Each structure stands twice: as structure tokens, then as C-alpha cells.
Amino acid sequence: MLKLKIVSPERVEYEGDVEQVKVPGTLGIFEILTDHAPIISSLEKGLVEYKTAQGENRSLQILGGFVEVQKNVVSLCVEIKE
């Protein structure tokens, strides 16, 4: 299980447990699962997709940002497409 926190300049968009996260990295879309290696990456315009611990699929359109993964904690700092 992963802890996910998605923040934008306006607010915390999501904070909770998830099974997986897909993000639009600079070099392409990549998926983050439990025990993923530590990483910091820039994000491009695209879709962030994640599956909550309850099995609900959610998505969020972003204009760009950054992702950090460390010890099953995924932190996204993003600009949201309004």
C-alpha cells in the first residue's frame, strides 16, 4: 500500500492510501507501485491516475509538476487544469 498526497497551489487535492499511481513523466507515463525505488521526477501535462485502497479508480488532469517517491510515500506537487 502507498500513501499518496497530491497538492496544488490552491489546496490539497487528495491525501490517502492507494494501490498504484500512474503519472505523466517527462520521458513518458510511468506507474508507481508498493516498494518502488526512491525517485524525483518532473511531470508533463497529462493525466494522473490512481486506485484508492477501496478499489476506486480516480484521475486528475494536470498541466505539470513534480513527483517524489520515498519509502512508499508518493508526493505530487502539481498545477491543476481548471
Side-chain angles (χ1 to χ4, degrees), residues 48-81:
V48 172
E49 300 175 275
Y50 55 99
K51 186 173 188 176
T52 67
Q54 294 77 29
E56 182 183 351
N57 291 314
R58 294 188 182 180
S59 62
L60 183 66
Q61 190 71 34
I62 66 167
L63 297 174
F66 294 91
V67 61
E68 177 186 27
V69 180
Q70 200 168 62
K71 297 181 181 176
N72 290 323
V73 176
V74 181
S75 302
L76 277 79
C77 181
V78 297
E79 186 176 348
I80 303 295
K81 182 175 182 181

Short mmCIF file of all heavy atoms in Angstrom, two decimals, residues 48-81:
data_model
loop_
_atom_site.label_atom_id
_atom_site.label_comp_id
_atom_site.label_asym_id
_atom_site.label_seq_id
_atom_site.Cartn_x
_atom_site.Cartn_y
_atom_site.Cartn_z
N VAL A 48 -3.03 12.15 -14.26
CA VAL A 48 -2.58 11.37 -13.11
C VAL A 48 -3.72 10.41 -12.79
O VAL A 48 -4.86 10.84 -12.61
CB VAL A 48 -2.28 12.27 -11.89
CG1 VAL A 48 -2.00 11.42 -10.66
CG2 VAL A 48 -1.12 13.21 -12.17
N GLU A 49 -3.42 9.12 -12.75
CA GLU A 49 -4.44 8.12 -12.44
C GLU A 49 -4.01 7.34 -11.21
O GLU A 49 -2.83 6.99 -11.08
CB GLU A 49 -4.61 7.15 -13.61
CG GLU A 49 -5.04 7.81 -14.90
CD GLU A 49 -5.08 6.83 -16.05
OE1 GLU A 49 -4.02 6.64 -16.66
OE2 GLU A 49 -6.15 6.27 -16.30
N TYR A 50 -4.96 7.07 -10.31
CA TYR A 50 -4.64 6.29 -9.12
C TYR A 50 -5.83 5.46 -8.68
O TYR A 50 -6.98 5.78 -9.00
CB TYR A 50 -4.14 7.20 -7.99
CG TYR A 50 -5.04 8.34 -7.60
CD1 TYR A 50 -5.88 8.25 -6.50
CD2 TYR A 50 -5.04 9.53 -8.32
CE1 TYR A 50 -6.70 9.31 -6.14
CE2 TYR A 50 -5.84 10.59 -7.97
CZ TYR A 50 -6.68 10.48 -6.87
OH TYR A 50 -7.48 11.53 -6.52
N LYS A 51 -5.51 4.37 -8.00
CA LYS A 51 -6.54 3.46 -7.50
C LYS A 51 -6.50 3.50 -5.98
O LYS A 51 -5.48 3.17 -5.38
CB LYS A 51 -6.28 2.04 -8.00
CG LYS A 51 -7.36 1.05 -7.66
CD LYS A 51 -7.11 -0.27 -8.34
CE LYS A 51 -8.28 -1.20 -8.15
NZ LYS A 51 -8.08 -2.45 -8.89
N THR A 52 -7.60 3.93 -5.37
CA THR A 52 -7.66 4.06 -3.91
C THR A 52 -7.64 2.68 -3.25
O THR A 52 -7.86 1.66 -3.90
CB THR A 52 -8.93 4.81 -3.46
OG1 THR A 52 -10.08 4.01 -3.76
CG2 THR A 52 -9.03 6.17 -4.15
N ALA A 53 -7.40 2.68 -1.94
CA ALA A 53 -7.39 1.43 -1.18
C ALA A 53 -8.74 0.73 -1.24
O ALA A 53 -8.83 -0.49 -1.08
CB ALA A 53 -6.99 1.71 0.27
N GLN A 54 -9.80 1.49 -1.50
CA GLN A 54 -11.15 0.92 -1.61
C GLN A 54 -11.45 0.40 -3.01
O GLN A 54 -12.55 -0.05 -3.29
CB GLN A 54 -12.20 1.99 -1.23
CG GLN A 54 -12.16 2.43 0.22
CD GLN A 54 -11.02 3.39 0.53
OE1 GLN A 54 -10.57 4.14 -0.33
NE2 GLN A 54 -10.52 3.32 1.75
N GLY A 55 -10.47 0.50 -3.92
CA GLY A 55 -10.63 -0.02 -5.27
C GLY A 55 -11.23 0.97 -6.25
O GLY A 55 -11.55 0.62 -7.38
N GLU A 56 -11.39 2.21 -5.84
CA GLU A 56 -11.97 3.24 -6.70
C GLU A 56 -10.90 3.84 -7.61
O GLU A 56 -9.84 4.26 -7.15
CB GLU A 56 -12.58 4.34 -5.82
CG GLU A 56 -13.25 5.45 -6.57
CD GLU A 56 -13.77 6.55 -5.65
OE1 GLU A 56 -13.77 6.38 -4.43
OE2 GLU A 56 -14.16 7.59 -6.19
N ASN A 57 -11.17 3.86 -8.92
CA ASN A 57 -10.24 4.48 -9.87
C ASN A 57 -10.54 5.96 -9.98
O ASN A 57 -11.69 6.35 -10.19
CB ASN A 57 -10.36 3.83 -11.25
CG ASN A 57 -9.84 2.42 -11.25
OD1 ASN A 57 -8.77 2.15 -10.73
ND2 ASN A 57 -10.60 1.50 -11.83
N ARG A 58 -9.50 6.79 -9.83
CA ARG A 58 -9.65 8.24 -9.93
C ARG A 58 -8.60 8.79 -10.87
O ARG A 58 -7.56 8.18 -11.08
CB ARG A 58 -9.48 8.90 -8.55
CG ARG A 58 -10.56 8.54 -7.57
CD ARG A 58 -10.41 9.38 -6.33
NE ARG A 58 -11.40 9.04 -5.33
CZ ARG A 58 -11.47 9.64 -4.15
NH1 ARG A 58 -10.61 10.59 -3.82
NH2 ARG A 58 -12.40 9.29 -3.29
N SER A 59 -8.88 9.99 -11.40
CA SER A 59 -7.90 10.64 -12.27
C SER A 59 -7.97 12.15 -12.10
O SER A 59 -8.97 12.68 -11.62
CB SER A 59 -8.14 10.26 -13.74
OG SER A 59 -9.41 10.69 -14.15
N LEU A 60 -6.90 12.81 -12.50
CA LEU A 60 -6.77 14.24 -12.34
C LEU A 60 -5.94 14.78 -13.50
O LEU A 60 -4.83 14.30 -13.74
CB LEU A 60 -6.08 14.54 -11.00
CG LEU A 60 -5.89 15.98 -10.58
CD1 LEU A 60 -7.24 16.64 -10.32
CD2 LEU A 60 -5.04 16.04 -9.33
N GLN A 61 -6.48 15.74 -14.23
CA GLN A 61 -5.76 16.36 -15.35
C GLN A 61 -4.81 17.42 -14.79
O GLN A 61 -5.22 18.27 -14.02
CB GLN A 61 -6.76 17.00 -16.32
CG GLN A 61 -6.16 17.45 -17.61
CD GLN A 61 -5.76 16.30 -18.53
OE1 GLN A 61 -6.41 15.28 -18.57
NE2 GLN A 61 -4.70 16.48 -19.28
N ILE A 62 -3.52 17.34 -15.16
CA ILE A 62 -2.54 18.31 -14.67
C ILE A 62 -1.85 19.01 -15.84
O ILE A 62 -1.84 18.51 -16.96
CB ILE A 62 -1.49 17.66 -13.75
CG1 ILE A 62 -0.61 16.66 -14.52
CG2 ILE A 62 -2.15 17.00 -12.54
CD1 ILE A 62 0.64 16.22 -13.77
N LEU A 63 -1.27 20.17 -15.53
CA LEU A 63 -0.51 20.92 -16.52
C LEU A 63 0.99 20.69 -16.38
O LEU A 63 1.77 21.06 -17.24
CB LEU A 63 -0.82 22.41 -16.40
CG LEU A 63 -2.27 22.80 -16.68
CD1 LEU A 63 -2.50 24.27 -16.38
CD2 LEU A 63 -2.64 22.48 -18.11
N GLY A 64 1.40 20.07 -15.26
CA GLY A 64 2.80 19.79 -14.99
C GLY A 64 3.05 19.77 -13.50
O GLY A 64 2.14 20.00 -12.70
N GLY A 65 4.29 19.46 -13.11
CA GLY A 65 4.64 19.43 -11.70
C GLY A 65 5.81 18.50 -11.43
O GLY A 65 6.64 18.26 -12.30
N PHE A 66 5.83 17.98 -10.20
CA PHE A 66 6.89 17.09 -9.76
C PHE A 66 6.31 15.95 -8.94
O PHE A 66 5.28 16.10 -8.30
CB PHE A 66 7.92 17.85 -8.89
CG PHE A 66 8.67 18.89 -9.64
CD1 PHE A 66 8.21 20.20 -9.71
CD2 PHE A 66 9.84 18.58 -10.31
CE1 PHE A 66 8.90 21.16 -10.42
CE2 PHE A 66 10.53 19.53 -11.03
CZ PHE A 66 10.06 20.83 -11.08
N VAL A 67 7.01 14.82 -8.94
CA VAL A 67 6.64 13.68 -8.09
C VAL A 67 7.88 13.24 -7.33
O VAL A 67 8.99 13.24 -7.87
CB VAL A 67 6.05 12.50 -8.92
CG1 VAL A 67 7.05 11.97 -9.92
CG2 VAL A 67 5.57 11.38 -8.00
N GLU A 68 7.68 12.87 -6.08
CA GLU A 68 8.74 12.29 -5.26
C GLU A 68 8.19 11.00 -4.65
O GLU A 68 7.08 10.98 -4.13
CB GLU A 68 9.17 13.24 -4.14
CG GLU A 68 10.24 12.62 -3.23
CD GLU A 68 10.58 13.48 -2.03
OE1 GLU A 68 9.72 14.25 -1.58
OE2 GLU A 68 11.70 13.34 -1.53
N VAL A 69 8.98 9.94 -4.73
CA VAL A 69 8.62 8.66 -4.13
C VAL A 69 9.72 8.29 -3.15
O VAL A 69 10.90 8.30 -3.51
CB VAL A 69 8.48 7.54 -5.18
CG1 VAL A 69 8.11 6.22 -4.52
CG2 VAL A 69 7.49 7.92 -6.25
N GLN A 70 9.32 7.97 -1.91
CA GLN A 70 10.28 7.58 -0.90
C GLN A 70 9.57 6.76 0.18
O GLN A 70 8.62 7.23 0.78
CB GLN A 70 10.91 8.83 -0.28
CG GLN A 70 12.23 8.57 0.40
CD GLN A 70 12.93 9.87 0.73
OE1 GLN A 70 12.41 10.66 1.49
NE2 GLN A 70 14.11 10.06 0.16
N LYS A 71 10.03 5.53 0.38
CA LYS A 71 9.50 4.64 1.41
C LYS A 71 7.98 4.52 1.37
O LYS A 71 7.29 4.70 2.37
CB LYS A 71 9.96 5.09 2.80
CG LYS A 71 11.46 5.04 2.96
CD LYS A 71 11.90 5.47 4.33
CE LYS A 71 13.42 5.43 4.43
NZ LYS A 71 13.90 5.92 5.72
N ASN A 72 7.44 4.21 0.18
CA ASN A 72 6.01 4.01 -0.05
C ASN A 72 5.16 5.26 0.21
O ASN A 72 3.96 5.17 0.44
CB ASN A 72 5.47 2.82 0.76
CG ASN A 72 5.99 1.51 0.22
OD1 ASN A 72 6.13 1.34 -0.99
ND2 ASN A 72 6.31 0.59 1.10
N VAL A 73 5.79 6.43 0.15
CA VAL A 73 5.08 7.71 0.21
C VAL A 73 5.28 8.41 -1.12
O VAL A 73 6.42 8.64 -1.54
CB VAL A 73 5.58 8.59 1.38
CG1 VAL A 73 4.88 9.94 1.36
CG2 VAL A 73 5.38 7.90 2.71
N VAL A 74 4.18 8.72 -1.80
CA VAL A 74 4.21 9.39 -3.09
C VAL A 74 3.67 10.81 -2.91
O VAL A 74 2.53 10.99 -2.49
CB VAL A 74 3.36 8.64 -4.14
CG1 VAL A 74 3.43 9.33 -5.49
CG2 VAL A 74 3.78 7.18 -4.24
N SER A 75 4.51 11.80 -3.21
CA SER A 75 4.11 13.20 -3.08
C SER A 75 4.13 13.85 -4.46
O SER A 75 5.13 13.80 -5.15
CB SER A 75 5.07 13.95 -2.16
OG SER A 75 5.13 13.34 -0.89
N LEU A 76 2.98 14.43 -4.83
CA LEU A 76 2.88 15.13 -6.10
C LEU A 76 2.59 16.60 -5.83
O LEU A 76 1.68 16.93 -5.07
CB LEU A 76 1.73 14.58 -6.96
CG LEU A 76 2.01 13.33 -7.79
CD1 LEU A 76 1.95 12.11 -6.92
CD2 LEU A 76 1.05 13.24 -8.91
N CYS A 77 3.38 17.46 -6.43
CA CYS A 77 3.16 18.90 -6.40
C CYS A 77 2.82 19.27 -7.84
O CYS A 77 3.70 19.18 -8.72
CB CYS A 77 4.40 19.62 -5.91
SG CYS A 77 4.19 21.40 -5.82
N VAL A 78 1.57 19.65 -8.10
CA VAL A 78 1.12 19.79 -9.47
C VAL A 78 0.33 21.08 -9.69
O VAL A 78 -0.21 21.66 -8.75
CB VAL A 78 0.23 18.60 -9.89
CG1 VAL A 78 1.02 17.30 -9.87
CG2 VAL A 78 -1.00 18.48 -9.03
N GLU A 79 0.29 21.48 -10.95
CA GLU A 79 -0.60 22.56 -11.37
C GLU A 79 -1.81 21.89 -12.03
O GLU A 79 -1.65 21.07 -12.93
CB GLU A 79 0.12 23.48 -12.36
CG GLU A 79 -0.69 24.69 -12.72
CD GLU A 79 0.06 25.65 -13.63
OE1 GLU A 79 1.28 25.49 -13.82
OE2 GLU A 79 -0.60 26.54 -14.18
N ILE A 80 -2.99 22.23 -11.53
CA ILE A 80 -4.21 21.59 -11.98
C ILE A 80 -4.81 22.33 -13.17
O ILE A 80 -4.83 23.56 -13.19
CB ILE A 80 -5.27 21.56 -10.85
CG1 ILE A 80 -4.71 20.86 -9.62
CG2 ILE A 80 -6.58 20.92 -11.31
CD1 ILE A 80 -4.41 19.42 -9.78
N LYS A 81 -5.32 21.58 -14.13
CA LYS A 81 -6.05 22.16 -15.25
C LYS A 81 -7.46 22.44 -14.77
O LYS A 81 -8.20 21.52 -14.44
CB LYS A 81 -6.05 21.22 -16.44
CG LYS A 81 -6.74 21.80 -17.64
CD LYS A 81 -6.63 20.90 -18.84
CE LYS A 81 -7.29 21.57 -20.02
NZ LYS A 81 -7.24 20.73 -21.21
#
